[in-house]
Structures are given as C-alpha cells and as structure tokens.
Amino acid sequence: QKEVEQNSGPLSVPEGAIASLNCTYSDRGSQSFFWYRQYSGKSPELIMFIYSNGDKEDGRFTAQLNKASQYVSLLIRDSQPSDSATYLCAVKSNTGKLIFGQGTTLQVKP
Amino acid sequence: ETGVTQTPRHLVMGMTNKKSLKCEQHLGHNAMYWYKQSAKKPLELMFVYSLEERVENNSVPSRFSPECPNSSHLFLHLHTLQPEDSALYLCASSQEWRTTSTDTQYFGPGTRLTVL
C-alpha cells in the first residue's frame, strides 16, 4: 500500500464546475496535510494546509480532512482553465517527513 | 531575489561528468531539502539539512553528494550518474525540521537534469 494515494487522472471538469480531488494516507500518526499545485514544467506551489478534522476554506479552495477515514480532499469551486495543473497531496508524519502522492492531473475545459 | 532559487535550470551531462546543482533560500529558514521528481512518480525526498547538519539521507546512491555550507545554501554534487537519474531536482526550505505541524516547505524552480 502506498503511503499517500491519489488518482492520477486526468480529472476533466467544465469551466465553472466544482473539481473534487481526493487523497488517502496510510499513517494514522500523520499530523498535517498539504495541497500543492504544480503546473507543467514548474515546481510545486503551496495552495493550503489543514490539520484539524473538518473543512478549511480559502477563496475558491476548500480542504476537507477526515482523520478517522484517513482521507483528505480539495474542492475547487468555479473552476477556471488556469486551474489546469497537477495537484499534489502531501502528508506530514509525526517524524516530520513530508510524503507526497503522485498527484492528480486536473483539466478544466472552457 | 526572493524565495528559493536554483541554478542551473537545465543541465545535460554525460555519465562521466561531474557537475553541481546549487540552491539558495532567502526566507531565513533553517531546514533545506533535496527532492527528485521523475515522470509519473511521487516526489522522492533525498536529503534533509537542519542548521547545516544532514539529518536525513533516504538511501540515496553515493553518486549524489550533498553539501550545506550554511543555512542559506545547499549543493548537490553529481558524478558518474546514470541515465535513470534524469529527472527534475527540486530544492525546498522550511522554517524548521520536525517542528510545528503547519511548518510548510517552499520549493525552488528546480533543475531539469538529463544524463546521456
């Protein structure tokens, strides 16, 4: 079992729709959870982090965490073509290491 | 300069060459990282330095040799690489290593390495 799992996609949504990106993790001791966006040929950039169960909203982005189910998700409302990228889920364990999933490619079609 | 910078941005080298990648962070962070990103694979942590001391070495072959002369600079020395080492090499920094859960890592633009 991979430590952090994401569906590689591509996930295709029409412009204006909600994009839902999911991530599961295996280490129950994980402390905090990060979403990075990576455009093709670029480096990852942090979108947001979450460490408490529930939802955290930042503009059009909402991160959702369910530690009991070992599940974290990212919702993107009103998706724009500029949101087309690979979204990386990263999980910080209690050892401090950041473990990345392989990423989900999102395509937002005009 | 702001954030995390890396040079060179692109590098092509033969298997017998020796080259170095450079990373500099302007964020006042104490921890720096080297990651390898290969196609269709997750980011792989290679090395971690905290206050210039190496604290993690994730079973990386000895043909990769890191150096951290101070908390702002990190190097990755390369020698006798293999074609499978071709990848995007990313440097990152964070405030501390192994502290607050929300301590986030910020990435440099990466060096695209091709080994012929």
Side-chain angles (χ1 to χ4, degrees), chain B residues 12-25:
Chain B
V12 179
M13 59 187 290
M15 289 190 285
T16 58
N17 291 158
K18 290 184 180 181
K19 297 287 183 182
S20 295
L21 310 184
K22 179 183 175 183
C23 175
E24 184 173 359
Q25 57 96 1

PDB file of all heavy atoms in Angstrom, chain B residues 12-25:
ATOM      1  N   VAL B  12      22.523  19.216 -18.963  1.00  0.00           N
ATOM      2  CA  VAL B  12      22.732  17.976 -19.704  1.00  0.00           C
ATOM      3  C   VAL B  12      24.155  17.530 -19.426  1.00  0.00           C
ATOM      4  O   VAL B  12      25.099  18.311 -19.568  1.00  0.00           O
ATOM      5  CB  VAL B  12      22.527  18.172 -21.227  1.00  0.00           C
ATOM      6  CG1 VAL B  12      22.768  16.860 -21.978  1.00  0.00           C
ATOM      7  CG2 VAL B  12      21.125  18.708 -21.514  1.00  0.00           C
ATOM      8  N   MET B  13      24.322  16.295 -19.007  1.00  0.00           N
ATOM      9  CA  MET B  13      25.661  15.809 -18.693  1.00  0.00           C
ATOM     10  C   MET B  13      25.829  14.355 -19.116  1.00  0.00           C
ATOM     11  O   MET B  13      24.862  13.592 -19.190  1.00  0.00           O
ATOM     12  CB  MET B  13      25.963  15.957 -17.204  1.00  0.00           C
ATOM     13  CG  MET B  13      25.026  15.247 -16.265  1.00  0.00           C
ATOM     14  SD  MET B  13      25.324  15.643 -14.525  1.00  0.00           S
ATOM     15  CE  MET B  13      26.897  14.833 -14.225  1.00  0.00           C
ATOM     16  N   GLY B  14      27.073  14.033 -19.401  1.00  0.00           N
ATOM     17  CA  GLY B  14      27.400  12.659 -19.706  1.00  0.00           C
ATOM     18  C   GLY B  14      27.633  11.877 -18.431  1.00  0.00           C
ATOM     19  O   GLY B  14      27.764  12.443 -17.346  1.00  0.00           O
ATOM     20  N   MET B  15      27.684  10.575 -18.573  1.00  0.00           N
ATOM     21  CA  MET B  15      27.799   9.718 -17.398  1.00  0.00           C
ATOM     22  C   MET B  15      29.131   9.882 -16.683  1.00  0.00           C
ATOM     23  O   MET B  15      29.247   9.560 -15.500  1.00  0.00           O
ATOM     24  CB  MET B  15      27.556   8.263 -17.780  1.00  0.00           C
ATOM     25  CG  MET B  15      26.104   7.969 -18.129  1.00  0.00           C
ATOM     26  SD  MET B  15      25.756   6.211 -18.290  1.00  0.00           S
ATOM     27  CE  MET B  15      26.500   5.893 -19.877  1.00  0.00           C
ATOM     28  N   THR B  16      30.145  10.400 -17.371  1.00  0.00           N
ATOM     29  CA  THR B  16      31.449  10.543 -16.722  1.00  0.00           C
ATOM     30  C   THR B  16      31.694  11.942 -16.176  1.00  0.00           C
ATOM     31  O   THR B  16      32.722  12.210 -15.567  1.00  0.00           O
ATOM     32  CB  THR B  16      32.575  10.198 -17.716  1.00  0.00           C
ATOM     33  OG1 THR B  16      32.471  11.061 -18.855  1.00  0.00           O
ATOM     34  CG2 THR B  16      32.462   8.749 -18.172  1.00  0.00           C
ATOM     35  N   ASN B  17      30.744  12.836 -16.397  1.00  0.00           N
ATOM     36  CA  ASN B  17      30.926  14.224 -15.951  1.00  0.00           C
ATOM     37  C   ASN B  17      30.740  14.369 -14.456  1.00  0.00           C
ATOM     38  O   ASN B  17      30.124  13.529 -13.791  1.00  0.00           O
ATOM     39  CB  ASN B  17      29.906  15.137 -16.653  1.00  0.00           C
ATOM     40  CG  ASN B  17      30.164  15.299 -18.131  1.00  0.00           C
ATOM     41  OD1 ASN B  17      29.260  15.642 -18.879  1.00  0.00           O
ATOM     42  ND2 ASN B  17      31.385  15.058 -18.560  1.00  0.00           N
ATOM     43  N   LYS B  18      31.250  15.495 -13.939  1.00  0.00           N
ATOM     44  CA  LYS B  18      30.956  15.929 -12.575  1.00  0.00           C
ATOM     45  C   LYS B  18      30.342  17.307 -12.668  1.00  0.00           C
ATOM     46  O   LYS B  18      30.896  18.196 -13.305  1.00  0.00           O
ATOM     47  CB  LYS B  18      32.235  16.012 -11.735  1.00  0.00           C
ATOM     48  CG  LYS B  18      32.871  14.696 -11.393  1.00  0.00           C
ATOM     49  CD  LYS B  18      34.066  14.920 -10.480  1.00  0.00           C
ATOM     50  CE  LYS B  18      34.723  13.602 -10.120  1.00  0.00           C
ATOM     51  NZ  LYS B  18      35.871  13.794  -9.199  1.00  0.00           N
ATOM     52  N   LYS B  19      29.219  17.481 -12.027  1.00  0.00           N
ATOM     53  CA  LYS B  19      28.538  18.765 -12.015  1.00  0.00           C
ATOM     54  C   LYS B  19      27.942  18.996 -10.633  1.00  0.00           C
ATOM     55  O   LYS B  19      27.840  18.067  -9.823  1.00  0.00           O
ATOM     56  CB  LYS B  19      27.410  18.800 -13.059  1.00  0.00           C
ATOM     57  CG  LYS B  19      27.857  18.663 -14.504  1.00  0.00           C
ATOM     58  CD  LYS B  19      28.530  19.920 -14.996  1.00  0.00           C
ATOM     59  CE  LYS B  19      28.894  19.787 -16.469  1.00  0.00           C
ATOM     60  NZ  LYS B  19      29.613  20.990 -16.976  1.00  0.00           N
ATOM     61  N   SER B  20      27.525  20.236 -10.402  1.00  0.00           N
ATOM     62  CA  SER B  20      26.883  20.559  -9.124  1.00  0.00           C
ATOM     63  C   SER B  20      25.628  21.373  -9.342  1.00  0.00           C
ATOM     64  O   SER B  20      25.595  22.250 -10.211  1.00  0.00           O
ATOM     65  CB  SER B  20      27.843  21.351  -8.227  1.00  0.00           C
ATOM     66  OG  SER B  20      28.960  20.564  -7.865  1.00  0.00           O
ATOM     67  N   LEU B  21      24.624  21.095  -8.549  1.00  0.00           N
ATOM     68  CA  LEU B  21      23.404  21.904  -8.506  1.00  0.00           C
ATOM     69  C   LEU B  21      23.475  22.800  -7.281  1.00  0.00           C
ATOM     70  O   LEU B  21      23.947  22.386  -6.223  1.00  0.00           O
ATOM     71  CB  LEU B  21      22.165  21.008  -8.414  1.00  0.00           C
ATOM     72  CG  LEU B  21      22.045  19.856  -9.412  1.00  0.00           C
ATOM     73  CD1 LEU B  21      20.709  19.153  -9.237  1.00  0.00           C
ATOM     74  CD2 LEU B  21      22.242  20.342 -10.827  1.00  0.00           C
ATOM     75  N   LYS B  22      22.969  24.024  -7.461  1.00  0.00           N
ATOM     76  CA  LYS B  22      23.020  24.984  -6.370  1.00  0.00           C
ATOM     77  C   LYS B  22      21.622  25.442  -5.998  1.00  0.00           C
ATOM     78  O   LYS B  22      20.762  25.630  -6.869  1.00  0.00           O
ATOM     79  CB  LYS B  22      23.857  26.191  -6.773  1.00  0.00           C
ATOM     80  CG  LYS B  22      23.942  27.276  -5.699  1.00  0.00           C
ATOM     81  CD  LYS B  22      24.742  28.478  -6.206  1.00  0.00           C
ATOM     82  CE  LYS B  22      24.735  29.611  -5.184  1.00  0.00           C
ATOM     83  NZ  LYS B  22      25.450  30.814  -5.681  1.00  0.00           N
ATOM     84  N   CYS B  23      21.403  25.613  -4.719  1.00  0.00           N
ATOM     85  CA  CYS B  23      20.135  26.117  -4.199  1.00  0.00           C
ATOM     86  C   CYS B  23      20.428  27.202  -3.180  1.00  0.00           C
ATOM     87  O   CYS B  23      21.345  27.068  -2.363  1.00  0.00           O
ATOM     88  CB  CYS B  23      19.349  24.981  -3.557  1.00  0.00           C
ATOM     89  SG  CYS B  23      17.819  25.494  -2.744  1.00  0.00           S
ATOM     90  N   GLU B  24      19.652  28.264  -3.210  1.00  0.00           N
ATOM     91  CA  GLU B  24      19.789  29.342  -2.227  1.00  0.00           C
ATOM     92  C   GLU B  24      18.403  29.765  -1.772  1.00  0.00           C
ATOM     93  O   GLU B  24      17.508  29.953  -2.599  1.00  0.00           O
ATOM     94  CB  GLU B  24      20.543  30.522  -2.831  1.00  0.00           C
ATOM     95  CG  GLU B  24      20.806  31.645  -1.854  1.00  0.00           C
ATOM     96  CD  GLU B  24      21.700  32.745  -2.433  1.00  0.00           C
ATOM     97  OE1 GLU B  24      22.126  32.616  -3.603  1.00  0.00           O
ATOM     98  OE2 GLU B  24      21.965  33.723  -1.708  1.00  0.00           O
ATOM     99  N   GLN B  25      18.237  29.900  -0.465  1.00  0.00           N
ATOM    100  CA  GLN B  25      16.934  30.362   0.037  1.00  0.00           C
ATOM    101  C   GLN B  25      17.120  31.700   0.761  1.00  0.00           C
ATOM    102  O   GLN B  25      18.092  31.910   1.476  1.00  0.00           O
ATOM    103  CB  GLN B  25      16.269  29.308   0.928  1.00  0.00           C
ATOM    104  CG  GLN B  25      17.055  28.847   2.132  1.00  0.00           C
ATOM    105  CD  GLN B  25      16.704  29.571   3.410  1.00  0.00           C
ATOM    106  OE1 GLN B  25      15.829  30.449   3.430  1.00  0.00           O
ATOM    107  NE2 GLN B  25      17.383  29.223   4.489  1.00  0.00           N
TER     108      GLN B  25
END
